[in-house]
Every structure is written in C-alpha cells, then in structure tokens.
mmCIF file of all heavy atoms in Angstrom:
data_model
loop_
_atom_site.group_PDB
_atom_site.id
_atom_site.type_symbol
_atom_site.label_atom_id
_atom_site.label_comp_id
_atom_site.label_asym_id
_atom_site.label_seq_id
_atom_site.Cartn_x
_atom_site.Cartn_y
_atom_site.Cartn_z
ATOM 1 N N SER H 926 9.255 3.370 -1.362
ATOM 2 C CA SER H 926 8.980 3.635 -2.821
ATOM 3 C C SER H 926 7.396 3.966 -2.999
ATOM 4 O O SER H 926 7.093 4.807 -3.735
ATOM 5 C CB SER H 926 9.445 2.716 -3.635
ATOM 6 O OG SER H 926 10.861 2.523 -3.593
ATOM 7 N N ILE H 927 6.705 3.135 -2.287
ATOM 8 C CA ILE H 927 5.206 3.224 -2.540
ATOM 9 C C ILE H 927 4.612 4.410 -1.767
ATOM 10 O O ILE H 927 3.934 5.152 -2.313
ATOM 11 C CB ILE H 927 4.587 1.918 -2.109
ATOM 12 C CG1 ILE H 927 4.823 0.765 -3.089
ATOM 13 C CG2 ILE H 927 2.973 2.029 -1.921
ATOM 14 C CD1 ILE H 927 4.384 -0.563 -2.722
ATOM 15 N N SER H 928 5.145 4.581 -0.536
ATOM 16 C CA SER H 928 4.544 5.704 0.120
ATOM 17 C C SER H 928 4.953 7.098 -0.402
ATOM 18 O O SER H 928 4.292 8.049 -0.038
ATOM 19 C CB SER H 928 4.944 5.587 1.639
ATOM 20 O OG SER H 928 6.355 5.734 1.830
ATOM 21 N N ALA H 929 5.950 7.155 -1.163
ATOM 22 C CA ALA H 929 6.252 8.363 -1.924
ATOM 23 C C ALA H 929 5.237 8.730 -3.038
ATOM 24 O O ALA H 929 5.211 9.774 -3.402
ATOM 25 C CB ALA H 929 7.681 8.256 -2.639
ATOM 26 N N ARG H 930 4.462 7.775 -3.452
ATOM 27 C CA ARG H 930 3.451 7.984 -4.452
ATOM 28 C C ARG H 930 1.984 7.790 -4.002
ATOM 29 O O ARG H 930 1.061 8.357 -4.674
ATOM 30 C CB ARG H 930 3.673 6.958 -5.674
ATOM 31 C CG ARG H 930 4.922 7.173 -6.318
ATOM 32 C CD ARG H 930 5.430 5.997 -7.118
ATOM 33 N NE ARG H 930 6.556 6.362 -7.848
ATOM 34 C CZ ARG H 930 7.868 6.381 -7.330
ATOM 35 N NH1 ARG H 930 8.030 6.187 -6.051
ATOM 36 N NH2 ARG H 930 8.811 6.746 -8.114
ATOM 37 N N CYS H 931 1.772 7.270 -2.845
ATOM 38 C CA CYS H 931 0.331 7.108 -2.278
ATOM 39 C C CYS H 931 0.329 6.839 -0.785
ATOM 40 O O CYS H 931 1.473 6.851 -0.185
ATOM 41 C CB CYS H 931 -0.356 5.949 -3.047
ATOM 42 S SG CYS H 931 0.438 4.419 -2.690
ATOM 43 N N GLU H 932 -0.738 6.832 -0.187
ATOM 44 C CA GLU H 932 -0.762 6.642 1.249
ATOM 45 C C GLU H 932 -0.807 5.217 1.551
ATOM 46 O O GLU H 932 -1.801 4.391 1.137
ATOM 47 C CB GLU H 932 -2.171 7.331 1.717
ATOM 48 C CG GLU H 932 -2.389 7.255 3.285
ATOM 49 C CD GLU H 932 -3.577 7.787 3.723
ATOM 50 O OE1 GLU H 932 -4.343 8.360 2.915
ATOM 51 O OE2 GLU H 932 -3.903 7.818 4.993
ATOM 52 N N VAL H 933 0.115 4.792 2.306
ATOM 53 C CA VAL H 933 0.157 3.403 2.853
ATOM 54 C C VAL H 933 -0.559 3.282 4.180
ATOM 55 O O VAL H 933 -0.233 3.940 5.102
ATOM 56 C CB VAL H 933 1.613 2.876 3.023
ATOM 57 C CG1 VAL H 933 1.647 1.545 3.621
ATOM 58 C CG2 VAL H 933 2.318 2.894 1.715
ATOM 59 N N ILE H 934 -1.675 2.541 4.170
ATOM 60 C CA ILE H 934 -2.473 2.381 5.313
ATOM 61 C C ILE H 934 -1.945 1.273 6.371
ATOM 62 O O ILE H 934 -1.980 1.553 7.578
ATOM 63 C CB ILE H 934 -3.928 1.962 4.979
ATOM 64 C CG1 ILE H 934 -4.504 2.959 4.069
ATOM 65 C CG2 ILE H 934 -4.764 1.748 6.229
ATOM 66 C CD1 ILE H 934 -4.686 4.277 4.565
ATOM 67 N N TYR H 935 -1.378 0.317 5.759
ATOM 68 C CA TYR H 935 -1.076 -0.885 6.529
ATOM 69 C C TYR H 935 -0.087 -1.767 5.719
ATOM 70 O O TYR H 935 -0.208 -1.993 4.474
ATOM 71 C CB TYR H 935 -2.257 -1.692 7.029
ATOM 72 C CG TYR H 935 -1.952 -2.896 7.766
ATOM 73 C CD1 TYR H 935 -1.540 -2.820 9.105
ATOM 74 C CD2 TYR H 935 -2.019 -4.231 7.252
ATOM 75 C CE1 TYR H 935 -1.220 -4.043 9.875
ATOM 76 C CE2 TYR H 935 -1.657 -5.334 7.996
ATOM 77 C CZ TYR H 935 -1.301 -5.205 9.247
ATOM 78 O OH TYR H 935 -0.911 -6.342 10.077
ATOM 79 N N ALA H 936 0.957 -2.337 6.312
ATOM 80 C CA ALA H 936 1.787 -3.366 5.714
ATOM 81 C C ALA H 936 1.664 -4.627 6.441
ATOM 82 O O ALA H 936 1.749 -4.699 7.646
ATOM 83 C CB ALA H 936 3.268 -2.856 5.685
ATOM 84 N N SER H 937 1.526 -5.674 5.753
ATOM 85 C CA SER H 937 1.326 -7.041 6.373
ATOM 86 C C SER H 937 2.542 -7.866 6.021
ATOM 87 O O SER H 937 2.837 -8.226 4.937
ATOM 88 C CB SER H 937 0.107 -7.746 5.796
ATOM 89 O OG SER H 937 0.079 -9.056 6.289
ATOM 90 N N ARG H 938 3.355 -8.301 7.076
ATOM 91 C CA ARG H 938 4.340 -9.220 6.899
ATOM 92 C C ARG H 938 3.942 -10.538 6.484
ATOM 93 O O ARG H 938 4.723 -11.258 5.709
ATOM 94 C CB ARG H 938 5.330 -9.120 8.093
ATOM 95 C CG ARG H 938 4.815 -9.816 9.299
ATOM 96 C CD ARG H 938 5.764 -9.825 10.454
ATOM 97 N NE ARG H 938 5.335 -10.661 11.628
ATOM 98 C CZ ARG H 938 5.384 -10.254 12.822
ATOM 99 N NH1 ARG H 938 5.882 -9.062 13.033
ATOM 100 N NH2 ARG H 938 4.860 -10.984 13.778
ATOM 101 N N TRP H 939 2.858 -11.002 6.930
ATOM 102 C CA TRP H 939 2.421 -12.412 6.575
ATOM 103 C C TRP H 939 1.857 -12.447 5.171
ATOM 104 O O TRP H 939 2.039 -13.320 4.487
ATOM 105 C CB TRP H 939 1.278 -12.833 7.585
ATOM 106 C CG TRP H 939 1.808 -13.018 8.949
ATOM 107 C CD1 TRP H 939 2.642 -14.025 9.290
ATOM 108 C CD2 TRP H 939 1.618 -12.104 10.096
ATOM 109 N NE1 TRP H 939 3.066 -13.788 10.735
ATOM 110 C CE2 TRP H 939 2.440 -12.674 11.132
ATOM 111 C CE3 TRP H 939 0.972 -10.997 10.169
ATOM 112 C CZ2 TRP H 939 2.377 -12.102 12.371
ATOM 113 C CZ3 TRP H 939 0.919 -10.358 11.551
ATOM 114 C CH2 TRP H 939 1.650 -10.942 12.524
ATOM 115 N N LEU H 940 1.276 -11.361 4.662
ATOM 116 C CA LEU H 940 0.818 -11.337 3.352
ATOM 117 C C LEU H 940 1.837 -10.819 2.402
ATOM 118 O O LEU H 940 1.697 -10.956 1.141
ATOM 119 C CB LEU H 940 -0.383 -10.470 3.166
ATOM 120 C CG LEU H 940 -1.695 -10.900 3.917
ATOM 121 C CD1 LEU H 940 -2.768 -9.819 3.739
ATOM 122 C CD2 LEU H 940 -2.094 -12.362 3.480
ATOM 123 N N ASN H 941 2.920 -10.271 2.919
ATOM 124 C CA ASN H 941 4.003 -9.554 2.118
ATOM 125 C C ASN H 941 3.307 -8.603 1.201
ATOM 126 O O ASN H 941 3.489 -8.699 -0.044
ATOM 127 C CB ASN H 941 4.870 -10.610 1.377
ATOM 128 C CG ASN H 941 6.157 -9.982 0.878
ATOM 129 O OD1 ASN H 941 6.627 -8.851 1.519
ATOM 130 N ND2 ASN H 941 6.750 -10.489 -0.236
ATOM 131 N N ALA H 942 2.508 -7.676 1.724
ATOM 132 C CA ALA H 942 1.698 -6.690 0.891
ATOM 133 C C ALA H 942 1.621 -5.536 1.767
ATOM 134 O O ALA H 942 1.702 -5.524 2.889
ATOM 135 C CB ALA H 942 0.424 -7.398 0.588
ATOM 136 N N ALA H 943 1.144 -4.516 1.006
ATOM 137 C CA ALA H 943 0.773 -3.226 1.712
ATOM 138 C C ALA H 943 -0.739 -2.841 1.224
ATOM 139 O O ALA H 943 -1.081 -3.085 0.055
ATOM 140 C CB ALA H 943 1.691 -2.131 1.134
ATOM 141 N N TYR H 944 -1.483 -2.226 2.131
ATOM 142 C CA TYR H 944 -2.775 -1.801 1.972
ATOM 143 C C TYR H 944 -2.777 -0.360 1.699
ATOM 144 O O TYR H 944 -2.230 0.427 2.671
ATOM 145 C CB TYR H 944 -3.767 -2.106 3.190
ATOM 146 C CG TYR H 944 -5.157 -1.942 2.784
ATOM 147 C CD1 TYR H 944 -5.909 -2.623 1.807
ATOM 148 C CD2 TYR H 944 -5.888 -1.145 3.531
ATOM 149 C CE1 TYR H 944 -7.214 -2.494 1.554
ATOM 150 C CE2 TYR H 944 -7.290 -0.912 3.399
ATOM 151 C CZ TYR H 944 -7.936 -1.601 2.452
ATOM 152 O OH TYR H 944 -9.364 -1.448 2.152
ATOM 153 N N VAL H 945 -3.187 0.213 0.488
ATOM 154 C CA VAL H 945 -2.875 1.631 0.227
ATOM 155 C C VAL H 945 -4.191 2.267 -0.366
ATOM 156 O O VAL H 945 -5.111 1.586 -0.770
ATOM 157 C CB VAL H 945 -1.740 1.744 -0.867
ATOM 158 C CG1 VAL H 945 -0.594 1.099 -0.476
ATOM 159 C CG2 VAL H 945 -2.243 1.124 -2.255
ATOM 160 N N ILE H 946 -4.199 3.566 -0.321
ATOM 161 C CA ILE H 946 -5.158 4.472 -0.973
ATOM 162 C C ILE H 946 -4.468 5.088 -2.156
ATOM 163 O O ILE H 946 -3.416 5.799 -1.804
ATOM 164 C CB ILE H 946 -5.776 5.435 -0.074
ATOM 165 C CG1 ILE H 946 -6.447 4.730 1.152
ATOM 166 C CG2 ILE H 946 -6.698 6.333 -0.774
ATOM 167 C CD1 ILE H 946 -7.200 5.607 2.125
ATOM 168 N N ALA H 947 -4.973 4.926 -3.323
ATOM 169 C CA ALA H 947 -4.253 5.538 -4.490
ATOM 170 C C ALA H 947 -5.244 5.811 -5.658
ATOM 171 O O ALA H 947 -6.270 5.036 -5.773
ATOM 172 C CB ALA H 947 -3.177 4.673 -4.933
ATOM 173 N N SER H 948 -4.814 6.642 -6.617
ATOM 174 C CA SER H 948 -5.641 6.787 -7.840
ATOM 175 C C SER H 948 -5.260 5.630 -8.805
ATOM 176 O O SER H 948 -4.246 5.050 -8.622
ATOM 177 C CB SER H 948 -5.362 8.132 -8.403
ATOM 178 O OG SER H 948 -3.972 8.227 -8.858
ATOM 179 N N LYS H 949 -6.074 5.447 -9.861
ATOM 180 C CA LYS H 949 -5.815 4.499 -10.863
ATOM 181 C C LYS H 949 -4.543 4.669 -11.520
ATOM 182 O O LYS H 949 -3.714 3.791 -11.911
ATOM 183 C CB LYS H 949 -7.008 4.461 -11.861
ATOM 184 C CG LYS H 949 -8.311 3.822 -11.218
ATOM 185 C CD LYS H 949 -9.357 3.851 -12.249
ATOM 186 C CE LYS H 949 -10.641 3.295 -11.534
ATOM 187 N NZ LYS H 949 -11.876 3.365 -12.371
ATOM 188 N N GLU H 950 -4.239 6.044 -11.775
ATOM 189 C CA GLU H 950 -2.966 6.359 -12.454
ATOM 190 C C GLU H 950 -1.794 5.938 -11.664
ATOM 191 O O GLU H 950 -0.798 5.367 -12.155
ATOM 192 C CB GLU H 950 -3.046 7.924 -12.682
ATOM 193 C CG GLU H 950 -4.038 8.374 -13.707
ATOM 194 C CD GLU H 950 -5.452 8.653 -13.021
ATOM 195 O OE1 GLU H 950 -5.444 8.554 -11.773
ATOM 196 O OE2 GLU H 950 -6.358 8.681 -13.795
ATOM 197 N N VAL H 951 -1.879 6.267 -10.386
ATOM 198 C CA VAL H 951 -0.686 5.830 -9.450
ATOM 199 C C VAL H 951 -0.515 4.395 -9.363
ATOM 200 O O VAL H 951 0.663 3.780 -9.499
ATOM 201 C CB VAL H 951 -0.841 6.404 -8.006
ATOM 202 C CG1 VAL H 951 0.117 5.705 -7.005
ATOM 203 C CG2 VAL H 951 -0.736 7.975 -8.044
ATOM 204 N N ILE H 952 -1.622 3.648 -9.375
ATOM 205 C CA ILE H 952 -1.699 2.187 -9.322
ATOM 206 C C ILE H 952 -0.956 1.644 -10.685
ATOM 207 O O ILE H 952 -0.147 0.687 -10.649
ATOM 208 C CB ILE H 952 -3.041 1.636 -9.010
ATOM 209 C CG1 ILE H 952 -3.440 1.925 -7.650
ATOM 210 C CG2 ILE H 952 -3.118 0.138 -9.456
ATOM 211 C CD1 ILE H 952 -2.646 1.270 -6.592
#
C-alpha cells in the first residue's frame, strides 16, 4: 500500500517500520 504511493527504501522488522522517500502531500 505504501510503495504504491512512494518509494520504500527499507523495511525494518525490528522497528516494524518502513523508511521511505515521499512528498509532504503523500505523507
């Protein structure tokens, strides 16, 4: 769902989070 809207650089299973590049509007 997230990668359909922005670039996912990395997903961390330990942080349960994704590091992305996105515009403020997308965020």
Side-chain angles (χ1 to χ4, degrees):
S926 295
I927 288 175
S928 65
R930 291 163 178 77
C931 63
E932 182 181 358
V933 175
I934 304 298
Y935 178 75
S937 169
R938 68 180 188 225
W939 294 288
L940 298 175
N941 194 28
Y944 190 62
V945 303
I946 297 176
S948 66
K949 290 178 183 176
E950 295 80 16
V951 169
I952 289 300

